[in-house]
Each structure stands twice: as C-alpha cells, then as structure tokens.
Amino acid sequence: MTKQLKRAFSEASKLSPEEQNILAEWLLTELSSEKRWSKLFANSQEVLATLGQKALDEHRKGKTQELDPESFEFTV
C-alpha cells in the first residue's frame, strides 16, 4: 500500500462509522466502475478503429463541417 493511500485511510478512520460506510461504498463502486470501463474499452478497439476510419473517410469526401466551439451553449 502506498504512503498516500495509507494517509487517506488514516484520515478516513477518523470519520464516524456511518461516514466510513458511505466512503467505502463510494470507493468500491468507483473501483468496480473503473474495472468495467477498462474491460469495455479494451474490447472495443476494433469498433473504435472502424468508427475512426469512417469519420476520416467522410472528412476526405467533404461530408463534414468545421465546428465552432464558441457557438455551442452548454447546460448543466
């Protein structure tokens, strides 16, 4: 275990039992999610390569248009 992780766990141990359980659940969920995304991404390389090639082909054929990031409105 790294020093940083030991320090984080040491700080977490000062929380109430309820807060520790909430933190533990969050951490376990994050770790599970990360594993899931890593697996999905590793298994999607062929699909991503195909989509990338299609996008490049469309661009070369003049079927794309330049986007102006200043014209976009983002909502939260």
Side-chain angles (χ1 to χ4, degrees), residues 38-75:
S38 293
K39 184 178 177 181
L40 287 172
F41 186 73
N43 293 333
S44 66
Q45 295 302 302
E46 189 175 319
V47 172
L48 292 173
T50 300
L51 290 173
Q53 189 59 53
K54 280 177 117 175
L56 288 172
D57 291 345
E58 288 181 6
H59 180 69
R60 289 186 189 113
K61 292 176 184 176
K63 296 181 176 182
T64 60
Q65 61 184 4
E66 189 171 332
L67 297 178
D68 177 13
E70 299 299 321
S71 68
F72 285 98
E73 290 185 30
F74 296 98
T75 59

Side-chain angles (χ1 to χ4, degrees), residues 8-22:
F9 282 136
S10 175
E11 289 299 314
S13 72
K14 297 173 187 173
L15 298 171
S16 70
E18 182 179 303
E19 291 171 316
Q20 288 183 33
N21 285 337
I22 291 169

